[in-house]
Amino acid sequence: MKGQKLLVVEPYRLNDERTALKAAGRTFVAVDTVGAGENEFVLVVQGSSARQTPETKSLPTDATIIGIVDSIHVGKTKVNL
């Protein structure tokens, strides 16, 4: 893991109205492969998929950040980030 950026991430889920996100109440550590920053929403893969990127294929990781989220839409409704 030498030289890898690790971030603490917190999963979010849709609220009951499906108009905003709310914290799921847990955190975990993920390898950052995209240069994400603090307070950005990211896409994370876990399990064996976490080792399927060129940067993580030889790392013992179980969670990898593979994208930064710009916006979320549910149907035609934009979800507030």
Side-chain angles (χ1 to χ4, degrees):
M1 302 294 283
K2 186 176 180 180
Q4 297 297 318
K5 180 178 172 184
L6 303 176
L7 293 177
V8 176
V9 295
E10 181 177 20
Y12 277 71
R13 60 190 174 108
L14 287 171
N15 64 2
D16 293 336
E17 295 80 28
R18 300 174 55 111
T19 57
L21 298 175
K22 63 180 180 178
R26 63 184 181 95
T27 60
F28 58 91
V29 176
V31 175
D32 179 21
T33 64
V34 297
E38 190 174 335
N39 296 319
E40 287 191 290
F41 285 87
V42 295
L43 182 62
V44 178
V45 292
Q46 293 182 280
S48 62
S49 297
R51 293 182 300 280
Q52 299 300 316
T53 70
E55 299 87 357
T56 60
K57 63 182 173 187
S58 63
L59 298 178
T61 182
D62 192 48
T64 301
I65 298 169
I66 61 166
I68 298 172
V69 177
D70 292 325
S71 63
I72 299 173
H73 292 79
V74 176
K76 293 183 180 185
T77 303
K78 184 174 181 180
V79 175
N80 297 318
L81 297 179

